[in-house]
Amino acid sequence: MTLDTRDIYVTALKNTHALEMQALQIMERQVERLQRYPEMEDALRRHIEETHGQRTRLEEALQAVGDSPSALKEGFLGIVGNMMAIGHTPAQDEILKNTYANHAFENFEIAAYESLLTITEAAGQRGSITGFQQSLKEEEAMARRVRELVGPTTRRYLELTISGEKADR
C-alpha cells in the first residue's frame, strides 16, 4: 500500500489532534490539584485555553480536506492521558513529577508541530500553515514557562514539605 502526501497529511492532523486531546486530559486533571502552586495553575489554565484553539485549528484543517478526527486514537490517548494525569497523585512529590512530565510533553508537542508544518508544506496545504505556526509558538511559550517554573515550584515544594504541610497539591 502506497501512501500519498495527502494521506500522510491527514494522518498527521489526526495524530496531532489526538495529542492535543491527551494534553487537555492531563492538564485538566492537574489543574484541579494545584491550589498551593498558583503560578503553575495559572500557566496550565492559560494553556488549556490555547489548546482548545489548537484543537479547533486542527479540526478546521481536517474539515478542509473532508475528514475528521480519529475517535479510536482519541479514545486510546484519552485513556492514556487520564492514566498519566493520575499516575503521580499518590506521590508526595507529585507536583515535581508533573512539572518534569509537563516540560517533556510540551517539547513533544513542539516536535509534533514542527513535523506537521513540514508535512503541511509538502502536501501543499498552505492555508493551514499560519494556524499551525501559531500553535507551535504557543507550545514553545508554554515549554519556556514550565521550564521557568521548575525552580519556583521546587522551592515552594521544599517550603511546604519542610514545614510539615501537605505539598502534593
Side-chain angles (χ1 to χ4, degrees):
M1 178 171 92
T2 304
L3 294 177
D4 64 14
T5 308
R6 183 198 177 279
D7 293 333
I8 296 168
Y9 174 67
V10 169
T11 299
L13 289 172
K14 289 180 179 187
N15 289 345
T16 307
H17 189 273
L19 183 64
E20 291 299 0
M21 296 305 289
Q22 182 182 14
L24 282 171
Q25 291 284 331
I26 293 167
M27 290 185 295
E28 287 171 350
R29 295 299 159 277
Q30 286 182 12
V31 81
E32 298 166 355
R33 302 176 56 78
L34 289 173
Q35 299 85 358
R36 296 178 181 266
Y37 301 90
E39 298 89 359
M40 187 65 76
E41 180 183 6
D42 181 58
L44 286 176
R45 287 191 188 282
R46 278 188 275 118
H47 197 54
I48 286 169
E49 291 307 311
E50 289 174 341
T51 302
H52 284 295
Q54 294 166 3
R55 189 189 69 204
T56 298
R57 288 190 284 276
L58 291 160
E59 289 168 0
E60 289 169 353
L62 279 163
Q63 288 173 352
V65 294
D67 218 312
S68 60
S70 169
L72 181 62
K73 284 180 186 179
E74 297 202 4
F76 175 73
L77 287 179
I79 292 168
V80 171
N82 274 315
M83 290 172 51
M84 289 173 68
I86 63 171
H88 297 147
T89 56
Q92 165 68 16
D93 60 351
E94 170 190 1
I95 183 63
L96 298 181
K97 289 180 171 112
N98 284 342
T99 301
Y100 311 153
N102 290 344
H103 188 260
F105 199 85
E106 291 305 321
N107 282 282
F108 186 82
E109 289 180 293
I110 288 167
Y113 274 106
E114 288 174 346
S115 179
L116 178 59
L117 280 162
T118 300
I119 294 168
T120 301
E121 288 178 18
Q125 299 293 323
R126 305 228 182 278
S128 298
I129 289 176
T130 301
F132 298 156
Q133 287 171 333
Q134 179 180 345
S135 296
L136 175 59
K137 287 177 186 172
E138 291 166 353
E139 298 300 350
E140 290 170 337
M142 184 59 175
R144 277 191 306 276
R145 184 66 182 136
V146 173
R147 187 178 63 242
E148 291 166 357
L149 287 172
V150 169
T153 300
T154 303
R155 283 190 286 282
R156 178 76 173 135
Y157 167 78
L158 286 167
E159 290 168 8
L160 291 168
T161 301
I162 291 169
S163 72
E165 293 184 55
K166 191 171 177 94
D168 62 344
R169 26 175 155 173

